[in-house]
Amino acid sequence: MDKKGTKIAYFVACAVFVVLLVVLGISFKGAPLPEFVIDGETVQAETPFAGTFWSLLPPIVAIVLALISKEVYSSLFLGCLVGALLYTQFNPWHTIVELVGANYGIISVLADAGNMGIIVFLVVLGIMVDLMNKGGGSEAFGRWAKKTVKSRCAAQLLTMLLGVLIFIDDYFNCLTVGAVMRPVTEGHKISRAKLAYIIDATAAPVCMIAPVSSWAAAISGYVTTSDINGIELFVKQIPWNYYCLLTLVMIIVTSIINLDYGSMLKHEYNAQVKNDLFTTPERPFEGADDYEKPASGKSSVLDLIIPVVVLIIVCVIALVFSGGYFTPGEEAYQDFVVAFSNAEALALGGMIALVFTFIYFWIRGAFTFEKSMESIPHGFIQMIAPILILTFAWTLCSFTRFAMYSAEFVRAAMANAGSLKLFLPAVIFIIGAAIGFATGTSWGTIGIMAPIVVAVFDYSAEPVLCTIGLAAACSGGVMGDHCSPISDTTIMASAGAHCFHLNHVFTQLPYALTVTSVAFVSFILAGLIQNVWLNLAIAIVLMVGTLFVIKAVVSKKNAGIFEEMAEANKKMVAEAK
């Protein structure tokens, strides 16, 4: 916060939130504790703010402060603090205890096996990336890419293709695609912000439309109806899932027509013309991209491909095995899709792949044992930033979703929307996007919205509207998660691209909002027309047409910038020859 205006805005926002908390403390003092019926049982909340709009205040505080200050750590911490204050009804000592404690606080989210599995996987991948750098794999892959991938368009589409191929899990997708494609995009002067956007846009959206993924397993479990099983309904919603499908269309079109706008244009200009991939001075992964040559022997592109392929294969096997595919009596027995819901297996697969990578480079003679051990602390250090952000984001979600029952507020709000009927899919999309943005979790958002959709639309009477409604809920959850600075997938994409987190958030927002606008119109038309392929064709035409209009406007407004970028690109191509 170097600018005076930013400091003033930040302190004004803090003052507004403090006053609001004081008013809430006075207004809700002595208020009765609400009760909710959850899974057929009556549950009494521990705070009067539960199930009200104010249950969403903690993430609102975190997001507003992060957008103003462009500093994510303190913003997330203050959001968690507000959550603890509301939960304990402003008791100072209990606030500190709950913020740190094992009920909903930091200790509770770190004690969760799934969360810890993600942290272990992050650290393992950080160590593997450092090993591949030291072994010369990244440097060799960069050399190969410069010879094989001839253009910026090809580099971007190759990044997207790799993201589409790794569809089993979004966390795995973000980190693996980032590790593989950083040297390729760096060779073609693609900014880290653009790389982070492509990674993020082919992580959750791809997993959401892949029938075999951890997402398919999770979402099918949220849908309970006697008329159709969850997996079948998930598959049926895929061609209606406009946000996810149009996001992929946008990547293809913007890559082909070389379109950048908003703050992304500045990042791409600096990358191409000034050879600055980062634009801002923040370097959270400084030194991690200094690709090294092996201490002995000649590096090969296989030094990167083999460890990554082994990682993918082992993680898939681990997901299926630990998910219960081979265990009689388990829910996932002989059910390939449901077995993918156990994301803790990523840690197991990552550890096995890490051991393989150590042994591989020792046999190759790429470096000594002592040199390889340096990668352990180096890889861990590179992942400290995303681990901190994830921890605070999980804590914030814990207070919002579990301690203060934010889902009940959404259910109550949706109960009065049934009369909209044909326009309800578009309304569901917007509500889902708002919840996803505020909470930073698409899974949590869809977990809230999907049962509501099935309850509002009876599948036996209105199968098409029910399917469109589920697609709208899934699209909205992904959209909000995609844009939110507190989203774990957004954080992972920043980590995978080695991009300063808030640079990624700000640069991808105009792109995500463009797709959101077209998707919103498409959901309105879907409710009215209800023809799956006609509606999909209309949505794609609207998306492509919108991008060409933006291209015409932006090219005219920034003609000089695009000329400089074109000249720099021609020079880079000539040098490559």
Side-chain angles (χ1 to χ4, degrees):
M1 290 193 297
D2 295 330
K3 295 182 179 179
K4 185 177 180 181
T6 303
K7 290 181 180 178
I8 293 173
Y10 182 82
F11 288 117
V12 167
C14 287
V16 169
F17 287 133
V18 169
V19 171
L20 179 58
L21 288 171
V22 171
V23 172
L24 288 175
I26 296 171
S27 303
F28 280 79
K29 187 175 182 180
L33 299 179
E35 293 183 345
F36 308 106
V37 178
I38 299 175
D39 296 331
E41 295 183 5
T42 301
V43 178
Q44 186 176 57
E46 298 178 78
T47 172
F49 300 102
T52 68
F53 170 79
W54 303 114
S55 63
L56 297 175
L57 182 60
I60 291 172
V61 169
I63 291 168
V64 169
L65 294 182
L67 293 178
I68 292 174
S69 66
K70 299 184 180 179
E71 200 288 309
V72 71
Y73 302 107
S74 63
S75 302
L76 281 171
F77 177 77
L78 290 173
C80 294
L81 181 62
V82 170
L85 281 167
L86 294 177
Y87 174 65
T88 61
Q89 301 176 58
F90 303 96
N91 183 302
W93 174 247
H94 287 166
T95 295
I96 297 172
V97 171
E98 293 298 335
L99 178 62
V100 179
N103 289 327
Y104 304 103
I106 293 171
I107 292 175
S108 73
V109 298
L110 292 178
D112 180 84
N115 291 346
M116 188 51 65
I118 292 168
I119 290 176
V120 171
F121 185 66
L122 269 171
V123 174
V124 164
L125 204 63
I127 297 170
M128 283 188 65
V129 168
D130 196 74
L131 283 171
M132 289 186 288
N133 283 349
K134 282 185 168 62
S138 299
E139 186 263 344
F141 194 79
R143 288 199 315 265
W144 171 84
K146 286 182 180 179
K147 296 177 183 177
T148 310
V149 183
K150 300 295 185 182
S151 66
R152 288 170 51 80
C153 173
Q156 292 176 71
L157 292 178
L158 181 60
T159 305
M160 174 189 166
L161 176 61
L162 186 59
V164 170
L165 293 176
I166 306 177
F167 56 79
I168 57 171
D169 185 78
D170 53 334
Y171 296 151
F172 184 41
N173 183 309
C174 288
L175 297 173
T176 306
V177 174
V180 173
M181 294 307 298
R182 280 196 306 270
V184 179
T185 53
E186 184 174 318
H188 288 277
K189 297 184 178 180
I190 295 171
S191 68
R192 288 300 160 81
K194 188 64 174 288
L195 174 60
Y197 167 69
I198 298 173
I199 292 172
D200 206 354
T202 51
V206 169
C207 292
M208 181 58 74
I209 57 176
V212 181
S213 70
S214 56
W215 287 58
I219 293 163
S220 64
Y222 295 146
V223 181
T224 53
T225 172
S226 58
D227 300 301
I228 186 172
N229 69 64
I231 289 295
E232 186 180 351
L233 186 55
F234 176 85
V235 172
K236 284 180 175 291
Q237 65 84 36
I238 291 174
W240 296 103
N241 199 320
Y242 296 127
Y243 183 82
C244 297
L245 294 170
L246 295 180
T247 295
L248 300 180
V249 171
M250 181 164 185
I251 297 173
I252 295 171
V253 175
T254 54
S255 299
I256 292 173
I257 68 176
N258 193 29
L259 171 62
D260 292 297
Y261 58 98
S263 54
M264 186 73 80
L265 179 59
K266 179 181 179 181
H267 282 256
E268 286 294 274
Y269 173 81
N270 287 338
Q272 292 182 59
V273 178
K274 300 181 180 179
N275 200 27
D276 178 8
L277 301 178
F278 302 91
T279 296
T280 58
E282 292 85 4
R283 301 287 190 275
F285 299 91
E286 190 169 9
D289 295 314
D290 297 334
Y291 306 124
E292 302 179 32
K293 293 184 178 180
S296 60
K298 185 179 180 181
S299 63
S300 164
V301 69
L302 293 177
D303 293 334
L304 184 140
I305 292 176
I306 289 177
V308 170
V309 169
V310 169
L311 177 68
I312 294 171
I313 293 172
V314 173
C315 281
V316 171
I317 294 172
L319 279 165
V320 174
F321 179 80
S322 64
Y325 181 82
F326 301 105
T327 308
E330 291 284 338
E331 181 187 356
Y333 180 60
Q334 301 296 306
D335 191 331
F336 193 72
V337 176
V338 176
F340 270 101
S341 62
N342 187 0
E344 299 164 28
L346 291 177
L348 172 62
M351 290 297 291
I352 296 171
L354 177 61
V355 172
F356 169 85
T357 305
F358 271 112
I359 296 172
Y360 171 79
F361 282 115
W362 291 338
I363 294 173
R364 283 268 290 117
F367 40 63
T368 63
F369 176 83
E370 290 77 10
K371 184 76 171 176
S372 67
M373 289 298 106
E374 293 176 5
S375 293
I376 296 176
H378 289 171
F380 183 83
I381 289 169
Q382 294 301 326
M383 291 299 170
I384 287 176
I387 288 172
L388 279 174
I389 296 172
L390 275 173
T391 301
F392 285 138
W394 286 331
T395 305
L396 190 63
C397 179
S398 178
F399 277 114
T400 303
R401 186 179 173 195
F402 301 118
M404 292 193 288
Y405 298 91
S406 58
E408 299 307 313
F409 166 71
V410 177
R411 288 191 181 95
M414 284 293 295
N416 300 319
S419 60
L420 296 172
K421 220 56 176 178
L422 298 179
F423 297 98
L424 197 53
V427 175
I428 291 171
F429 172 64
I430 293 300
I431 293 175
I435 298 169
F437 185 81
T439 61
T441 167
S442 49
W443 278 29
T445 301
I446 297 165
I448 294 169
M449 298 297 294
I452 297 173
V453 170
V454 176
V456 171
F457 297 113
D458 182 1
Y459 186 85
S460 61
E462 300 171 309
V464 177
L465 270 179
C466 183
T467 306
I468 298 171
L470 179 62
C474 294
S475 278
V478 172
M479 183 275 161
D481 177 271
H482 196 190
C483 296
S484 177
I486 61 174
S487 158
D488 45 7
T489 312
T490 308
I491 296 163
M492 292 285 202
S494 301
H498 284 189
C499 174
F500 177 55
H501 180 55
L502 288 180
N503 281 352
H504 170 43
V505 172
F506 283 112
T507 52
Q508 87 164 354
L509 195 57
Y511 288 55
L513 291 176
T514 302
V515 180
T516 300
S517 302
V518 178
F520 178 71
V521 173
S522 300
F523 276 118
I524 292 175
L525 295 176
L528 297 172
I529 300 173
Q530 298 185 31
N531 184 304
V532 60
W533 302 117
L534 176 59
N535 278 114
L536 181 58
I538 292 172
I540 293 172
V541 170
L542 285 174
M543 187 75 253
V544 175
T546 300
L547 292 175
F548 273 98
V549 170
I550 293 173
K551 172 74 172 177
V553 174
V554 172
S555 298
K556 184 177 180 181
K557 185 178 179 180
N558 302 282
I561 291 176
F562 278 100
E563 287 177 7
E564 287 187 64
M565 291 169 67
E567 287 297 322
N569 193 41
K570 288 179 183 177
K571 185 178 179 181
M572 183 180 67
V573 172
E575 289 175 353
K577 292 180 180 179

